[in-house]
PDB file of all heavy atoms in Angstrom:
ATOM      1  N   GLU A  67       0.852  -8.813 -12.549  1.00 90.00           N
ATOM      2  CA  GLU A  67       2.176  -8.996 -13.120  1.00 90.00           C
ATOM      3  C   GLU A  67       3.231  -9.034 -12.025  1.00 90.00           C
ATOM      4  O   GLU A  67       3.051  -8.433 -10.966  1.00 90.00           O
ATOM      5  CB  GLU A  67       2.488  -7.858 -14.101  1.00 90.00           C
ATOM      6  CG  GLU A  67       1.576  -7.851 -15.306  1.00 90.00           C
ATOM      7  CD  GLU A  67       1.854  -6.707 -16.264  1.00 90.00           C
ATOM      8  OE1 GLU A  67       2.803  -5.934 -16.032  1.00 90.00           O
ATOM      9  OE2 GLU A  67       1.090  -6.581 -17.231  1.00 90.00           O
ATOM     10  N   PRO A  68       4.347  -9.725 -12.266  1.00 87.00           N
ATOM     11  CA  PRO A  68       5.421  -9.756 -11.271  1.00 87.00           C
ATOM     12  C   PRO A  68       6.120  -8.402 -11.186  1.00 87.00           C
ATOM     13  O   PRO A  68       5.982  -7.566 -12.063  1.00 87.00           O
ATOM     14  CB  PRO A  68       6.372 -10.835 -11.818  1.00 87.00           C
ATOM     15  CG  PRO A  68       6.116 -10.857 -13.294  1.00 87.00           C
ATOM     16  CD  PRO A  68       4.652 -10.497 -13.469  1.00 87.00           C
ATOM     17  N   GLY A  69       6.860  -8.223 -10.128  1.00 89.00           N
ATOM     18  CA  GLY A  69       7.645  -7.003  -9.965  1.00 89.00           C
ATOM     19  C   GLY A  69       7.154  -6.098  -8.868  1.00 89.00           C
ATOM     20  O   GLY A  69       7.853  -5.169  -8.467  1.00 89.00           O
ATOM     21  N   GLY A  70       5.963  -6.344  -8.380  1.00 93.00           N
ATOM     22  CA  GLY A  70       5.401  -5.470  -7.361  1.00 93.00           C
ATOM     23  C   GLY A  70       6.118  -5.541  -6.031  1.00 93.00           C
ATOM     24  O   GLY A  70       6.342  -4.518  -5.379  1.00 93.00           O
ATOM     25  N   ARG A  71       6.492  -6.740  -5.613  1.00 95.00           N
ATOM     26  CA  ARG A  71       7.105  -6.920  -4.285  1.00 95.00           C
ATOM     27  C   ARG A  71       8.375  -6.072  -4.149  1.00 95.00           C
ATOM     28  O   ARG A  71       8.589  -5.436  -3.121  1.00 95.00           O
ATOM     29  CB  ARG A  71       7.407  -8.391  -4.016  1.00 95.00           C
ATOM     30  CG  ARG A  71       8.092  -8.602  -2.676  1.00 95.00           C
ATOM     31  CD  ARG A  71       8.256 -10.063  -2.340  1.00 95.00           C
ATOM     32  NE  ARG A  71       7.000 -10.692  -2.006  1.00 95.00           N
ATOM     33  CZ  ARG A  71       6.370 -10.559  -0.836  1.00 95.00           C
ATOM     34  NH1 ARG A  71       6.868  -9.771   0.098  1.00 95.00           N
ATOM     35  NH2 ARG A  71       5.242 -11.186  -0.608  1.00 95.00           N
ATOM     36  N   GLU A  72       9.219  -6.058  -5.161  1.00 96.00           N
ATOM     37  CA  GLU A  72      10.468  -5.288  -5.097  1.00 96.00           C
ATOM     38  C   GLU A  72      10.187  -3.805  -4.850  1.00 96.00           C
ATOM     39  O   GLU A  72      10.830  -3.169  -4.021  1.00 96.00           O
ATOM     40  CB  GLU A  72      11.246  -5.465  -6.395  1.00 96.00           C
ATOM     41  CG  GLU A  72      12.525  -4.676  -6.452  1.00 96.00           C
ATOM     42  CD  GLU A  72      13.241  -4.838  -7.786  1.00 96.00           C
ATOM     43  OE1 GLU A  72      13.233  -5.941  -8.343  1.00 96.00           O
ATOM     44  OE2 GLU A  72      13.809  -3.829  -8.248  1.00 96.00           O
ATOM     45  N   HIS A  73       9.197  -3.271  -5.555  1.00 97.00           N
ATOM     46  CA  HIS A  73       8.852  -1.857  -5.368  1.00 97.00           C
ATOM     47  C   HIS A  73       8.250  -1.612  -3.991  1.00 97.00           C
ATOM     48  O   HIS A  73       8.522  -0.586  -3.357  1.00 97.00           O
ATOM     49  CB  HIS A  73       7.892  -1.388  -6.463  1.00 97.00           C
ATOM     50  CG  HIS A  73       8.562  -1.190  -7.780  1.00 97.00           C
ATOM     51  ND1 HIS A  73       9.319  -0.072  -8.069  1.00 97.00           N
ATOM     52  CD2 HIS A  73       8.608  -1.968  -8.883  1.00 97.00           C
ATOM     53  CE1 HIS A  73       9.785  -0.164  -9.293  1.00 97.00           C
ATOM     54  NE2 HIS A  73       9.377  -1.310  -9.813  1.00 97.00           N
ATOM     55  N   LEU A  74       7.430  -2.541  -3.518  1.00 98.00           N
ATOM     56  CA  LEU A  74       6.824  -2.390  -2.195  1.00 98.00           C
ATOM     57  C   LEU A  74       7.889  -2.456  -1.090  1.00 98.00           C
ATOM     58  O   LEU A  74       7.816  -1.708  -0.113  1.00 98.00           O
ATOM     59  CB  LEU A  74       5.743  -3.441  -1.979  1.00 98.00           C
ATOM     60  CG  LEU A  74       4.520  -3.313  -2.884  1.00 98.00           C
ATOM     61  CD1 LEU A  74       3.614  -4.532  -2.738  1.00 98.00           C
ATOM     62  CD2 LEU A  74       3.755  -2.032  -2.608  1.00 98.00           C
ATOM     63  N   GLU A  75       8.864  -3.340  -1.248  1.00 98.00           N
ATOM     64  CA  GLU A  75       9.964  -3.420  -0.273  1.00 98.00           C
ATOM     65  C   GLU A  75      10.772  -2.121  -0.272  1.00 98.00           C
ATOM     66  O   GLU A  75      11.166  -1.624   0.784  1.00 98.00           O
ATOM     67  CB  GLU A  75      10.875  -4.606  -0.582  1.00 98.00           C
ATOM     68  CG  GLU A  75      10.242  -5.966  -0.344  1.00 98.00           C
ATOM     69  CD  GLU A  75      10.133  -6.376   1.111  1.00 98.00           C
ATOM     70  OE1 GLU A  75      10.525  -5.598   2.012  1.00 98.00           O
ATOM     71  OE2 GLU A  75       9.632  -7.492   1.354  1.00 98.00           O
ATOM     72  N   THR A  76      11.006  -1.570  -1.462  1.00 98.00           N
ATOM     73  CA  THR A  76      11.726  -0.301  -1.554  1.00 98.00           C
ATOM     74  C   THR A  76      10.915   0.815  -0.903  1.00 98.00           C
ATOM     75  O   THR A  76      11.464   1.646  -0.169  1.00 98.00           O
ATOM     76  CB  THR A  76      12.031   0.043  -3.026  1.00 98.00           C
ATOM     77  OG1 THR A  76      12.848  -1.003  -3.574  1.00 98.00           O
ATOM     78  CG2 THR A  76      12.750   1.376  -3.152  1.00 98.00           C
ATOM     79  N   ALA A  77       9.608   0.836  -1.167  1.00 98.00           N
ATOM     80  CA  ALA A  77       8.740   1.842  -0.544  1.00 98.00           C
ATOM     81  C   ALA A  77       8.814   1.744   0.972  1.00 98.00           C
ATOM     82  O   ALA A  77       8.970   2.764   1.660  1.00 98.00           O
ATOM     83  CB  ALA A  77       7.306   1.676  -1.022  1.00 98.00           C
ATOM     84  N   LEU A  78       8.723   0.536   1.495  1.00 98.00           N
ATOM     85  CA  LEU A  78       8.781   0.339   2.946  1.00 98.00           C
ATOM     86  C   LEU A  78      10.092   0.873   3.510  1.00 98.00           C
ATOM     87  O   LEU A  78      10.099   1.597   4.511  1.00 98.00           O
ATOM     88  CB  LEU A  78       8.611  -1.144   3.287  1.00 98.00           C
ATOM     89  CG  LEU A  78       8.740  -1.507   4.763  1.00 98.00           C
ATOM     90  CD1 LEU A  78       7.691  -0.789   5.602  1.00 98.00           C
ATOM     91  CD2 LEU A  78       8.629  -3.024   4.927  1.00 98.00           C
ATOM     92  N   MET A  79      11.197   0.542   2.858  1.00 98.00           N
ATOM     93  CA  MET A  79      12.506   1.006   3.320  1.00 98.00           C
ATOM     94  C   MET A  79      12.568   2.538   3.347  1.00 98.00           C
ATOM     95  O   MET A  79      13.041   3.140   4.313  1.00 98.00           O
ATOM     96  CB  MET A  79      13.597   0.452   2.410  1.00 98.00           C
ATOM     97  CG  MET A  79      14.996   0.889   2.773  1.00 98.00           C
ATOM     98  SD  MET A  79      16.205   0.445   1.508  1.00 98.00           S
ATOM     99  CE  MET A  79      15.671   1.493   0.149  1.00 98.00           C
ATOM    100  N   LEU A  80      12.052   3.174   2.301  1.00 98.00           N
ATOM    101  CA  LEU A  80      12.076   4.638   2.224  1.00 98.00           C
ATOM    102  C   LEU A  80      11.130   5.273   3.236  1.00 98.00           C
ATOM    103  O   LEU A  80      11.467   6.284   3.862  1.00 98.00           O
ATOM    104  CB  LEU A  80      11.726   5.090   0.801  1.00 98.00           C
ATOM    105  CG  LEU A  80      12.788   4.786  -0.245  1.00 98.00           C
ATOM    106  CD1 LEU A  80      12.199   4.895  -1.648  1.00 98.00           C
ATOM    107  CD2 LEU A  80      13.984   5.715  -0.079  1.00 98.00           C
ATOM    108  N   PHE A  81       9.947   4.699   3.400  1.00 98.00           N
ATOM    109  CA  PHE A  81       9.011   5.224   4.404  1.00 98.00           C
ATOM    110  C   PHE A  81       9.600   5.089   5.806  1.00 98.00           C
ATOM    111  O   PHE A  81       9.440   5.976   6.643  1.00 98.00           O
ATOM    112  CB  PHE A  81       7.655   4.522   4.321  1.00 98.00           C
ATOM    113  CG  PHE A  81       6.778   4.975   3.188  1.00 98.00           C
ATOM    114  CD1 PHE A  81       6.208   4.048   2.328  1.00 98.00           C
ATOM    115  CD2 PHE A  81       6.500   6.319   2.981  1.00 98.00           C
ATOM    116  CE1 PHE A  81       5.384   4.451   1.287  1.00 98.00           C
ATOM    117  CE2 PHE A  81       5.672   6.738   1.939  1.00 98.00           C
ATOM    118  CZ  PHE A  81       5.119   5.794   1.092  1.00 98.00           C
TER     119      PHE A  81
END
Side-chain angles (χ1 to χ4, degrees):
E67 295 179 3
R71 178 174 288 283
E72 178 182 322
H73 285 282
L74 294 171
E75 291 284 2
T76 300
L78 176 60
M79 179 190 67
L80 290 164
F81 283 129

